[in-house]
Amino acid sequence: MAATIISPPEALAAVRRARELCPQITVAGVAGPGDTLATPYALQTFRLIKAEFPEIIKCMSTNGLLLPDFTDEIIEVGIDSMTVTVNAVDPRVQAEICDRVRYKGLCYEGQEAAEILIANQLAGIRKLASAGLTVKVNSVLIPEINAQHIAEVAMTVSAAGARIMNIIPLIPQHELAWCTEPGCTLLGSSRQAAERYVKVFKHCQRCRADAAGIIGGVDVSKQIYQRPVSQAQTFSHG
């Protein structure tokens, strides 16, 4: 979640202020709202950050649907780390998680939608990894849908070039409100299964998209994001 929606110049100002308050900050990331590649604003933000703070590590997240269309620009902008959310690599499983996608002006549903999404995710991961970017995959663990599929996801994304995987427990809501939140035992066994193929990130906490500071230490976000939430403009429409 995030407290407010900001423009690229405002994002640069936020980074500038964050560095003033906490000089130890070395990473800037854009994770939303929506998908970061649905509009040009995330990459515009990183261009501004690169010009003023070339030493800062630049990270972004995406669902991967548009990744093949933007890999060249992502590389040119100098993104250091890309996180791609991959919840399934089998279209039958993916179709149970997301029943439609809108791609290049057309709406696709069911397994056809899943096939497009998965193909684009893997193609993007391959190209970015081959260019030297660190690619991390986030997978939401949904007990009723993909719990028995996580190892296959890990094997597939690792073969495509992903270096690390983060398995995140579902927060049941909206269309997946009927599903249960995975417990520690299932989360642990899923991570263990994934570790056969890829390094697993285990100390992730459910954090805010507008977090600023040092994990477990300094939090300067309230001193940076001070204006009310704006509904007029968004980083993306994903």
Side-chain angles (χ1 to χ4, degrees):
M1 62 181 294
T4 186
I5 296 167
I6 57 179
S7 68
E10 289 174 321
L12 177 63
V15 173
R16 191 182 296 127
R17 177 63 172 156
R19 284 291 293 267
E20 291 172 356
L21 294 168
C22 185
Q24 303 95 318
I25 289 175
T26 58
V27 179
V30 178
D35 191 73
T36 55
L37 296 177
T39 72
Y41 303 134
L43 291 176
Q44 287 175 8
T45 296
F46 283 118
R47 289 185 188 279
L48 295 175
I49 293 173
K50 180 181 179 181
E52 186 165 336
F53 300 99
E55 75 284 2
I56 282 185
I57 297 170
K58 296 171 289 299
C59 306
M60 66 185 298
S61 302
T62 176
N63 62 26
L65 178 63
L66 299 178
L67 203 48
D69 300 327
F70 288 96
T71 48
D72 290 337
E73 187 174 358
I74 289 167
I75 294 166
E76 185 269 325
V77 167
I79 301 301
D80 300 286
S81 177
M82 175 66 73
T83 296
V84 185
T85 298
V86 182
N87 295 322
V89 292
D90 182 332
R92 294 169 297 181
V93 178
Q94 177 60 36
E96 294 187 56
I97 300 171
C98 177
D99 60 2
R100 67 177 64 86
V101 301
R102 182 172 291 277
Y103 183 59
K104 295 187 181 299
L106 297 175
C107 186
Y108 300 88
E109 298 183 349
Q111 289 194 34
E112 183 180 21
E115 289 168 0
I116 293 170
L117 177 59
I118 294 167
N120 287 4
Q121 289 171 332
L122 295 177
I125 290 171
R126 290 189 193 99
K127 187 166 183 178
L128 293 180
S130 66
L133 276 74
T134 297
V135 178
K136 176 170 72 74
V137 164
N138 279 353
S139 295
V140 179
L141 178 59
I142 309 169
E144 289 81 2
I145 299 177
N146 68 353
Q148 305 305 314
H149 184 57
I150 292 296
E152 185 177 353
V153 174
M155 179 178 65
T156 303
V157 299
S158 177
R163 297 187 192 179
I164 190 167
M165 184 175 184
N166 183 21
I167 301 171
I168 305 169
L170 173 74
I171 301 176
Q173 57 186 336
H174 305 300
E175 288 85 355
L176 295 178
W178 62 274
C179 297
T180 57
E181 181 175 359
C184 293
T185 299
L186 179 57
L187 183 60
S189 63
S190 298
R191 287 172 170 170
Q192 187 174 31
E195 279 184 315
R196 298 201 301 267
Y197 307 101
V198 67
K199 183 178 180 181
V200 174
F201 185 78
K202 295 182 179 178
H203 58 278
C204 176
Q205 299 293 321
R206 290 164 176 159
C207 59
R208 298 178 59 88
D210 56 6
I214 304 299
I215 295 175
V218 180
D219 180 1
V220 298
S221 58
K222 290 182 180 179
Q223 298 169 263
I224 298 172
Y225 306 105
Q226 296 180 345
R227 70 181 179 84
V229 175
S230 168
Q231 299 295 334
Q233 296 182 358
T234 65
F235 259 106
S236 76
H237 310 292

Short mmCIF file of all heavy atoms in Angstrom, two decimals, residues 153-175:
data_model
loop_
_atom_site.label_atom_id
_atom_site.label_comp_id
_atom_site.label_asym_id
_atom_site.label_seq_id
_atom_site.Cartn_x
_atom_site.Cartn_y
_atom_site.Cartn_z
N VAL A 153 7.56 -23.37 -10.59
CA VAL A 153 7.81 -21.95 -10.85
C VAL A 153 9.29 -21.65 -10.61
O VAL A 153 9.96 -21.00 -11.43
CB VAL A 153 6.93 -21.05 -9.97
CG1 VAL A 153 7.31 -19.59 -10.13
CG2 VAL A 153 5.46 -21.25 -10.30
N ALA A 154 9.81 -22.10 -9.48
CA ALA A 154 11.21 -21.85 -9.14
C ALA A 154 12.15 -22.42 -10.19
O ALA A 154 13.11 -21.75 -10.62
CB ALA A 154 11.52 -22.45 -7.76
N MET A 155 11.91 -23.65 -10.60
CA MET A 155 12.75 -24.28 -11.61
C MET A 155 12.72 -23.51 -12.93
O MET A 155 13.75 -23.28 -13.56
CB MET A 155 12.29 -25.72 -11.84
CG MET A 155 13.10 -26.46 -12.89
SD MET A 155 12.55 -28.19 -13.08
CE MET A 155 10.88 -27.95 -13.71
N THR A 156 11.54 -23.08 -13.34
CA THR A 156 11.37 -22.42 -14.63
C THR A 156 12.00 -21.03 -14.64
O THR A 156 12.71 -20.66 -15.59
CB THR A 156 9.88 -22.32 -14.99
OG1 THR A 156 9.31 -23.64 -14.98
CG2 THR A 156 9.69 -21.71 -16.37
N VAL A 157 11.75 -20.24 -13.61
CA VAL A 157 12.30 -18.88 -13.60
C VAL A 157 13.81 -18.91 -13.40
O VAL A 157 14.52 -18.04 -13.93
CB VAL A 157 11.62 -17.99 -12.54
CG1 VAL A 157 10.13 -17.87 -12.84
CG2 VAL A 157 11.86 -18.49 -11.12
N SER A 158 14.30 -19.89 -12.66
CA SER A 158 15.75 -20.02 -12.50
C SER A 158 16.40 -20.33 -13.85
O SER A 158 17.44 -19.76 -14.19
CB SER A 158 16.07 -21.12 -11.49
OG SER A 158 17.47 -21.31 -11.38
N ALA A 159 15.79 -21.22 -14.62
CA ALA A 159 16.32 -21.55 -15.94
C ALA A 159 16.30 -20.34 -16.86
O ALA A 159 17.14 -20.22 -17.77
CB ALA A 159 15.51 -22.69 -16.55
N ALA A 160 15.35 -19.43 -16.63
CA ALA A 160 15.26 -18.22 -17.45
C ALA A 160 16.28 -17.16 -17.04
O ALA A 160 16.49 -16.20 -17.77
CB ALA A 160 13.85 -17.64 -17.38
N GLY A 161 16.86 -17.31 -15.83
CA GLY A 161 17.89 -16.37 -15.40
C GLY A 161 17.63 -15.65 -14.11
O GLY A 161 18.45 -14.84 -13.66
N ALA A 162 16.48 -15.90 -13.46
CA ALA A 162 16.21 -15.26 -12.18
C ALA A 162 17.21 -15.75 -11.14
O ALA A 162 17.53 -16.93 -11.08
CB ALA A 162 14.79 -15.56 -11.72
N ARG A 163 17.70 -14.82 -10.31
CA ARG A 163 18.72 -15.16 -9.33
C ARG A 163 18.14 -15.45 -7.94
O ARG A 163 18.78 -16.11 -7.13
CB ARG A 163 19.73 -14.03 -9.20
CG ARG A 163 20.51 -13.73 -10.45
CD ARG A 163 21.60 -12.72 -10.13
NE ARG A 163 22.21 -12.18 -11.34
CZ ARG A 163 23.17 -11.26 -11.35
NH1 ARG A 163 23.62 -10.80 -10.18
NH2 ARG A 163 23.67 -10.80 -12.48
N ILE A 164 16.97 -14.93 -7.68
CA ILE A 164 16.42 -15.05 -6.33
C ILE A 164 14.90 -15.08 -6.41
O ILE A 164 14.31 -14.53 -7.35
CB ILE A 164 16.91 -13.89 -5.43
CG1 ILE A 164 16.55 -14.14 -3.96
CG2 ILE A 164 16.37 -12.56 -5.91
CD1 ILE A 164 17.28 -13.19 -3.01
N MET A 165 14.27 -15.73 -5.45
CA MET A 165 12.82 -15.87 -5.44
C MET A 165 12.30 -15.50 -4.05
O MET A 165 12.90 -15.86 -3.03
CB MET A 165 12.42 -17.30 -5.79
CG MET A 165 10.93 -17.55 -5.91
SD MET A 165 10.63 -19.24 -6.48
CE MET A 165 8.84 -19.23 -6.66
N ASN A 166 11.20 -14.81 -4.03
CA ASN A 166 10.55 -14.43 -2.79
C ASN A 166 9.13 -15.00 -2.80
O ASN A 166 8.33 -14.65 -3.66
CB ASN A 166 10.50 -12.90 -2.66
CG ASN A 166 9.91 -12.43 -1.36
OD1 ASN A 166 9.87 -13.17 -0.39
ND2 ASN A 166 9.44 -11.19 -1.33
N ILE A 167 8.83 -15.89 -1.88
CA ILE A 167 7.52 -16.51 -1.79
C ILE A 167 6.72 -15.79 -0.72
O ILE A 167 7.09 -15.78 0.45
CB ILE A 167 7.64 -18.02 -1.49
CG1 ILE A 167 8.46 -18.70 -2.59
CG2 ILE A 167 6.26 -18.66 -1.38
CD1 ILE A 167 8.82 -20.14 -2.27
N ILE A 168 5.63 -15.16 -1.13
CA ILE A 168 4.87 -14.26 -0.27
C ILE A 168 3.52 -14.89 0.08
O ILE A 168 2.79 -15.32 -0.81
CB ILE A 168 4.63 -12.92 -0.99
CG1 ILE A 168 5.96 -12.32 -1.45
CG2 ILE A 168 3.87 -11.95 -0.09
CD1 ILE A 168 5.79 -11.14 -2.39
N PRO A 169 3.16 -14.97 1.34
CA PRO A 169 1.86 -15.55 1.71
C PRO A 169 0.70 -14.66 1.27
O PRO A 169 0.75 -13.44 1.42
CB PRO A 169 1.93 -15.65 3.23
CG PRO A 169 2.96 -14.65 3.65
CD PRO A 169 3.96 -14.59 2.53
N LEU A 170 -0.30 -15.27 0.69
CA LEU A 170 -1.49 -14.56 0.24
C LEU A 170 -2.19 -13.84 1.39
O LEU A 170 -2.30 -14.37 2.49
CB LEU A 170 -2.47 -15.55 -0.40
CG LEU A 170 -3.85 -14.99 -0.79
CD1 LEU A 170 -3.75 -14.13 -2.03
CD2 LEU A 170 -4.85 -16.13 -1.00
N ILE A 171 -2.68 -12.62 1.11
CA ILE A 171 -3.63 -11.95 1.97
C ILE A 171 -4.99 -12.11 1.28
O ILE A 171 -5.24 -11.46 0.27
CB ILE A 171 -3.30 -10.47 2.17
CG1 ILE A 171 -1.91 -10.31 2.79
CG2 ILE A 171 -4.35 -9.80 3.04
CD1 ILE A 171 -1.45 -8.88 2.93
N PRO A 172 -5.86 -12.99 1.72
CA PRO A 172 -7.12 -13.26 1.01
C PRO A 172 -8.01 -12.02 0.92
O PRO A 172 -8.39 -11.43 1.93
CB PRO A 172 -7.78 -14.35 1.86
CG PRO A 172 -6.65 -14.98 2.62
CD PRO A 172 -5.70 -13.85 2.90
N GLN A 173 -8.33 -11.62 -0.30
CA GLN A 173 -9.21 -10.47 -0.51
C GLN A 173 -9.67 -10.47 -1.96
O GLN A 173 -9.14 -11.18 -2.80
CB GLN A 173 -8.50 -9.16 -0.17
CG GLN A 173 -7.21 -8.92 -0.93
CD GLN A 173 -6.48 -7.69 -0.45
OE1 GLN A 173 -7.08 -6.79 0.11
NE2 GLN A 173 -5.17 -7.63 -0.65
N HIS A 174 -10.71 -9.67 -2.22
CA HIS A 174 -11.26 -9.51 -3.58
C HIS A 174 -11.61 -10.87 -4.18
O HIS A 174 -12.24 -11.69 -3.53
CB HIS A 174 -10.30 -8.70 -4.45
CG HIS A 174 -9.93 -7.36 -3.87
ND1 HIS A 174 -10.86 -6.40 -3.59
CD2 HIS A 174 -8.72 -6.87 -3.47
CE1 HIS A 174 -10.26 -5.34 -3.06
NE2 HIS A 174 -8.97 -5.60 -2.98
N GLU A 175 -11.16 -11.13 -5.42
CA GLU A 175 -11.54 -12.39 -6.08
C GLU A 175 -10.97 -13.62 -5.39
O GLU A 175 -11.47 -14.73 -5.57
CB GLU A 175 -11.09 -12.37 -7.55
CG GLU A 175 -11.90 -11.45 -8.45
CD GLU A 175 -11.38 -10.01 -8.40
OE1 GLU A 175 -10.46 -9.73 -7.58
OE2 GLU A 175 -11.90 -9.18 -9.16
#
